[in-house]
Amino acid sequence: MAETVLYIDDHMLVAEKPAGLLSVPGRLPENKDCLITRLQADYPDALTVHRLDMATSGLMVFARGAEALRTLSKAFADRQVSKRYIAVVAGRLEGQGEVDLPLITDWPNRPRQMVDHEIGKPSLTRWRALAHDGANTRVELEPVTGRSHQLRVHMMAIGHPIAGDVFYAPPDIEALSPRLLLHAEYLSLPHPVSGEAMDFRSPAPF
C-alpha cells in the first residue's frame, strides 16, 4: 500500500492516497501511519488542505508552507476547486441527476453521518451514470459541497449504496467488494501562487 506523488513544486504537491490509509493521524497510536506523515518524511513543510475517507482512494492536494495552505484552503472554501469521483453503486441508475439532502453527524454512531432536514448542513452531489455491470452501475460523482461521507450517504439515501461500504451499504452490497469502490479521479484547482488552472487525473483502480 504505497502513495504516489503525481506533482510537486515549491508551493504544493498532489499525491494519490491508497484505499485503507488514513489521510491524517488518528488518535490511537496504531493510527499514526497516514498519508501526510509519509509525505512529511520527504517534504517536512507539507500541510493538509483537505481529506479523503480512509476507505476512499485517489487524489489529494497538499500545501507546502503556511502561506500556500491559506491560499489553497480559501480556494476550497470559495468553491474554486473541482473534484470528481468514480464509484460503483448497487442497482441501475440511468442518465444524470442531483442529490440535495442536508447532512449532520450521527453522534451516537460516529463517524457515521445522516440526513437531517431540520439542522443538517446543506449538501449537494451531482451524479452521472457511466456504465452498467449486471445489477450495478458505474457512476461519476461530483460533490458540490464537501461534507464528511457526503457521497456515501447521498448514494445510500437514494437507494444506491456504494459497493463495499461498511458504514452505509446492506450486507449483500458491502460484500460485493473487499474495499469501498470510491475513487477521487479528478482534481482541478488554481495554483496557490500563479493562479494557473491545474488539472490532475488518476484512473480508478477498479
Side-chain angles (χ1 to χ4, degrees):
M1 184 169 59
E3 73 286 352
T4 301
V5 175
L6 297 183
Y7 174 86
I8 185 163
D9 64 22
D10 290 340
H11 309 288
M12 60 177 274
L13 66 87
V14 175
E16 287 181 324
K17 187 187 82 66
L21 181 68
L22 290 166
S23 295
V24 298
R27 287 188 295 272
L28 300 175
E30 59 266 30
N31 292 331
K32 296 305 179 190
D33 183 29
C34 61
L35 183 53
I36 185 60
T37 300
R38 293 184 183 186
L39 291 173
Q40 286 173 342
D42 294 319
Y43 312 103
D45 59 351
L47 297 169
T48 303
V49 180
H50 65 121
R51 303 180 185 188
L52 290 179
D53 295 345
M54 180 177 180
T56 304
S57 57
L59 295 171
M60 292 182 65
V61 61
F62 296 85
R64 298 193 68 187
E67 184 61 35
L69 177 62
R70 283 190 290 272
T71 304
L72 287 169
S73 296
K74 187 176 188 302
F76 271 86
D78 293 344
R79 296 187 183 174
Q80 296 176 316
V81 178
S82 177
K83 295 181 287 181
R84 291 199 297 268
Y85 294 69
I86 295 294
V88 176
V89 303
R92 196 168 184 90
L93 273 172
E94 305 280 358
Q96 58 189 4
E98 292 185 345
V99 184
D100 185 1
L101 293 171
L103 300 178
I104 191 173
T105 301
D106 184 359
W107 286 103
N109 300 297
R110 285 177 293 173
R112 288 174 58 99
Q113 310 291 307
M114 63 182 185
V115 175
D116 189 308
H117 291 280
E118 294 184 358
I119 59 174
K121 294 180 179 178
S123 306
L124 177 64
T125 300
R126 298 188 177 114
W127 62 266
R128 182 167 66 95
L130 299 176
H132 299 103
D133 179 14
N136 305 317
T137 306
R138 190 175 187 88
V139 295
E140 179 186 84
L141 301 174
E142 180 187 355
V144 179
T145 52
R147 310 300 178 200
S148 180
H149 290 192
Q150 176 178 315
L151 302 179
R152 300 164 74 170
V153 178
H154 274 175
M155 298 316 291
M156 178 269 293
I158 64 170
H160 298 279
I162 299 174
D165 194 337
V166 300
F167 284 145
Y168 304 104
D172 58 327
I173 306 305
E174 179 189 338
L176 289 174
S177 171
R179 60 153 290 184
L180 177 72
L181 296 187
L182 180 63
H183 179 79
E185 67 139 10
Y186 175 79
L187 181 64
S188 174
L189 71 162
H191 188 275
V193 173
S194 70
E196 177 189 357
M198 310 284 286
D199 296 319
F200 304 94
R201 286 175 172 79
S202 167
F206 52 78

